[in-house]
Amino acid sequence: AGQNAQALKIDFDRTVAGSGTAAHNDIGINCHVNSASLGTSTLKGMAVDVVGATSGSNYAYGLDITCSGADSHYGVFVDSPDSGFTHKNPTASSATQGGKISLISNDNAALGNDHRLGSYQFAAYNGSNTVTGASIQAFADAAWSGTVNDTRLEFYTMDGNDNAELSLTLDSDLLATFAGKIE
């Protein structure tokens, strides 16, 4: 028979006071590793190894994060002076294999024309807030159906007035449209 098992579960709940301005910083798990070495070494704050093998439908997640209920939501926030985020796929690269990052729209709604599928934003923190410098956004180019899944990519840059300006569009008809002149 099927069963659900949890090796470790942490359930931390804070009751919010009815009044006042008591600030707090809550951490569910705080992992601190401080290590030095003179030889070739590897430091890992957390190592996750998940192996799933069945003949049915089996999904294996190294990390499953649900984040909600705050003014700003970050599923993953990385503060690193070097690479920030590295994804390594150990599968031999080929025409169909290699590293992949997926942004998945998961609201179960029908995808209509101009439905945004995802966005990569390139930004900088100026000491008081985060300022976006450029972005690449993916959109449904038409309403999707069982046979239609046209998409387009839009490339945005910021102007001197802090407005996002559409610079380039690559659409599902293999057409590249530049907003300005080409020099």
Side-chain angles (χ1 to χ4, degrees):
Q3 63 180 2
N4 298 321
Q6 295 180 8
L8 173 65
K9 178 179 179 179
I10 297 173
D11 186 357
F12 174 71
D13 298 317
R14 173 183 293 281
T15 302
V16 178
S19 63
T21 58
H24 58 272
N25 297 298
D26 296 331
I27 299 174
I29 297 174
N30 187 352
C31 178
H32 179 79
V33 177
N34 188 346
S35 176
S37 173
L38 297 176
T40 302
S41 303
T42 301
L43 277 79
K44 297 180 182 181
M46 183 183 297
V48 178
D49 186 16
V50 178
V51 179
T54 68
S55 59
S57 295
N58 185 330
Y59 297 94
Y61 298 98
L63 190 59
D64 185 4
I65 299 172
T66 301
C67 183
S68 64
D71 294 329
S72 297
H73 302 89
Y74 301 100
V76 175
F77 184 85
V78 178
D79 188 355
S80 174
D82 293 329
S83 64
F85 178 80
T86 301
H87 174 263
K88 184 172 100 174
N89 183 345
T91 307
S93 62
S94 68
T96 59
Q97 294 292 327
K100 176 172 77 172
I101 296 175
S102 298
L103 300 177
I104 300 171
S105 179
N106 189 22
D107 60 2
N108 295 320
L111 293 178
N113 188 31
D114 295 331
H115 185 122
R116 190 169 84 178
L117 302 172
S119 175
Y120 277 104
Q121 295 190 358
F122 305 92
Y125 183 71
N126 67 8
S128 59
N129 56 8
T130 301
V131 178
T132 300
S135 66
I136 302 171
Q137 299 182 33
F139 291 90
D141 218 9
W144 283 16
S145 67
T147 58
V148 174
N149 63 345
D150 296 343
T151 56
R152 73 178 182 276
L153 288 175
E154 295 182 352
F155 294 77
Y156 290 85
T157 55
M158 300 301 283
D159 68 9
N161 296 323
D162 201 28
N163 294 316
E165 298 289 340
L166 179 61
S167 301
L168 168 66
T169 300
L170 303 175
D171 68 17
S172 57
D173 294 323
L174 304 178
L175 180 66
T177 305
F178 290 89
K181 61 183 178 181
I182 300 174
E183 295 184 22

